[in-house]
Amino acid sequence: MYAGAYDGAFHAGLSSFNGQQVSLTGEVRDLIRSRSSFELASFTDPDLDPLLVSAAYAVPDLEVGDTVEVTGTVREGFDPPVVEEAVEEGEEAGFYDQHLGQPYLDEAQVEIVDSSGR
């Protein structure tokens, strides 16, 4: 099992981890509380595309800027959940679109390592 920082080296080999469990550390860039989803960003490369993380359970204390360790299964071809029309224009609008068809981390366990970025 891969365990380490979410960085350019991991991102470059992401497809080779499809179906495997990995443990990554990174920073929360954006999040959707209602779906327990967030973007994991690299500490070392701010231009690296963030990785979508779908948490197994809600993490109510999670905030943008938190350092987290996430353990989940790498999946390819993200397909967004069905969104009710009433919330399409809300916080979810556009969040999932940028991840369509991309690899993502599914059923992730999330541990907040440092929340000092708040």
Side-chain angles (χ1 to χ4, degrees):
M1 176 174 92
Y2 176 87
Y6 177 64
D7 58 16
F10 176 81
H11 186 77
L14 190 54
S15 62
S16 68
F17 292 103
N18 187 42
Q20 296 180 39
Q21 190 173 52
V22 298
S23 184
L24 300 170
T25 357
E27 181 179 327
V28 176
R29 180 179 289 174
D30 196 4
L31 62 102
I32 299 292
R33 288 191 195 291
S34 62
R35 296 279 186 182
S36 302
S37 298
F38 62 93
E39 292 179 339
L40 186 69
S42 170
F43 295 120
T44 57
D45 187 354
D47 295 327
L48 183 66
D49 288 337
L51 180 66
L52 178 66
V53 175
S54 177
Y57 303 101
V59 186
D61 295 333
L62 190 65
E63 297 289 341
V64 170
D66 286 353
T67 299
V68 293
E69 181 175 304
V70 294
T71 302
T73 304
V74 175
R75 305 276 185 217
E76 289 188 341
F78 176 72
D79 188 22
V82 175
V83 178
E84 299 287 330
E85 285 185 36
V87 294
E88 279 185 11
E89 300 304 318
E91 67 175 342
E92 294 181 22
F95 178 85
Y96 290 117
D97 291 346
Q98 61 190 335
H99 299 287
L100 283 174
Q102 299 295 314
Y104 66 104
L105 201 60
D106 195 25
E107 292 295 311
Q109 303 295 318
V110 181
E111 179 183 346
I112 300 172
V113 177
D114 184 5
S115 59
S116 61
R118 295 181 194 184

